[in-house]
Amino acid sequence: MRLTGRRESNNVEDQRGMSTGAKAGIGGIGGIIVVALITLMSGGNMGDVVSNVVQQQMQGPQQEQSQNPQRQFTEEEEKFAKFSKQILAGTEDVWNSQFQQHGMQYKEPVLRLYTGSTQTACGNGSAAMGPFYCSGDQRLYLDLSFFTSMRKDLGVDIQGDLSFAYAYVIAHEVGHHVEYLRGILGKCHAKMSQMNQTDANKLSVKLELLADYYAGCWAHYDNEKYQSLTDRDLEEAIDCAEKIGDNYLQEKARGYAQPESFTHGTSEQRMYWLRKGLETGDWNTTTFAPGELD
């Protein structure tokens, strides 16, 4: 992405090097990175997220955070930290404008950068869960090591340090915040709590695809204003969307997919909704049927 001269957001809590000391479990799936694959980009109130793996990860004990004075950040980590702050600032610019145009006020979320584990209003968060959003404190949570895992473990074809594929991760979580502010997230979780697991999963998929769409909408307007995206950026983001589809991740983790357990959408769905947001930027588009959340 072209980010030269772009501002950095002040809505960032940099708690890297601080940890609760809680260990990230593997949820019986076979390894920390597999947990991250299956639970990638779980948004909303973490206590309501459908995935059992996520719920298990959130049940860790409450512990005090302590800082490790020996922690030294690599040049790559510092680049990712600056990049994340610039992307968050870009989402602030776009969504402040969009909300204002629709007669609403945008409340900017806070991004917490952390290492290993962290306490949230939704419980104990772990890097093994991947990036996530907690509506209880309106914060996005990100361990920057996830960006490295995207290349090494997910196999996303990323050539540079400042790819739109990384921005997509952050913009997706901001998309959940937009859902929260518009009242969609709360309605969806209320409906999900009254459903059986299979039907709740179907609503979860629509919630995640809408966050993908909002990520695309942000990129649409950011690129319109700053010419921030290259053709390579778009290719990498679409490749990322493909490789975080439920079918792709489940097949990668265990060799087969179970559609009834999907909570985030197939590769085709995620690519479609990200691309649609990029192309249209239309605030009124939704993944939910009329009256579905009433």
Side-chain angles (χ1 to χ4, degrees):
M1 291 188 70
R2 302 185 184 100
L3 296 173
T4 302
R6 298 278 294 272
R7 74 177 182 90
E8 299 177 23
S9 173
N10 293 321
N11 294 311
V12 178
E13 297 174 343
D14 193 341
Q15 295 189 358
R16 291 176 295 157
M18 301 176 69
S19 175
T20 61
K23 296 181 179 179
I26 61 175
I29 296 181
I32 289 178
I33 187 57
V34 177
V35 177
L37 295 179
I38 300 299
T39 63
L40 177 66
M41 293 183 179
S42 296
N45 186 323
M46 297 298 282
D48 293 334
V49 172
V50 174
S51 170
N52 290 330
V53 177
V54 175
Q55 292 178 2
Q56 292 168 9
Q57 293 291 331
M58 296 304 293
Q59 291 172 357
Q62 301 289 318
Q63 299 183 34
E64 292 294 327
Q65 289 187 328
S66 60
Q67 188 166 10
N68 179 359
Q70 303 301 316
R71 180 75 165 88
Q72 298 295 320
F73 303 122
T74 65
E75 181 179 352
E76 182 180 59
E77 285 176 313
E78 291 297 84
K79 284 183 179 179
F80 281 145
K82 179 177 181 179
F83 173 82
S84 299
K85 295 173 185 178
Q86 288 179 312
I87 296 303
L88 185 62
T91 66
E92 292 166 354
D93 294 342
V94 166
W95 290 118
N96 271 305
S97 175
Q98 286 298 302
F99 271 65
Q100 184 177 20
Q101 289 178 33
H102 290 85
M104 300 174 63
Q105 183 174 359
Y106 182 65
K107 182 178 179 181
E108 297 172 354
V110 173
L111 170 64
R112 178 180 295 177
L113 303 177
Y114 71 98
T115 303
S117 60
T118 187
Q119 292 302 317
T120 83
C122 301
N124 186 58
S126 165
M129 291 157 24
F132 61 91
Y133 169 72
C134 172
S135 60
D137 54 22
Q138 297 178 50
R139 279 170 168 75
L140 292 61
Y141 291 88
L142 173 64
D143 184 315
L144 294 172
S145 64
F146 183 78
F147 289 150
T148 303
S149 294
M150 285 176 63
R151 288 198 307 261
K152 294 182 178 179
D153 301 296
L154 278 173
V156 178
D157 185 16
I158 298 174
Q159 302 299 318
D161 292 334
L162 306 180
S163 169
F164 174 50
Y166 297 133
Y168 166 40
V169 171
I170 297 172
H172 174 97
E173 302 309 330
V174 173
H176 284 306
H177 181 62
V178 173
E179 292 172 340
Y180 170 73
L181 294 179
R182 298 191 70 181
I184 298 170
L185 195 62
K187 288 181 180 179
C188 190
H189 283 153
K191 292 278 287 189
M192 289 164 64
S193 67
Q194 300 171 1
M195 293 177 165
N196 61 48
Q197 193 69 58
T198 299
D199 289 339
N201 287 350
K202 292 177 181 178
L203 272 192
S204 176
V205 166
K206 293 186 177 184
L207 199 61
E208 297 299 329
L209 294 178
L210 185 58
D212 282 340
Y213 176 76
Y214 284 152
C217 288
W218 159 72
H220 173 92
Y221 292 109
D222 190 87
N223 187 54
E224 188 177 80
K225 183 175 181 179
Y226 296 108
Q227 291 75 56
S228 53
L229 300 179
T230 67
D231 290 341
R232 181 62 190 172
D233 281 320
L234 299 177
E235 292 172 3
E236 290 176 356
I238 296 301
D239 180 57
C240 179
E242 178 183 11
K243 291 178 178 175
I244 58 176
D246 282 323
N247 58 323
Y248 183 96
L249 295 177
Q250 289 188 5
E251 289 168 4
K252 181 179 178 70
R254 58 194 182 206
Y256 63 93
Q258 292 180 304
E260 68 276 8
S261 70
F262 290 173
T263 59
H264 288 67
T266 66
S267 296
E268 291 75 16
Q269 288 173 320
R270 302 202 73 167
M271 289 188 291
Y272 172 83
W273 284 102
L274 174 62
R275 186 182 289 114
K276 187 176 181 68
L278 276 162
E279 292 173 351
T280 69
D282 182 4
W283 164 287
N284 293 314
T285 297
T286 181
T287 56
F288 294 94
E292 186 171 12
L293 297 181
D294 295 340

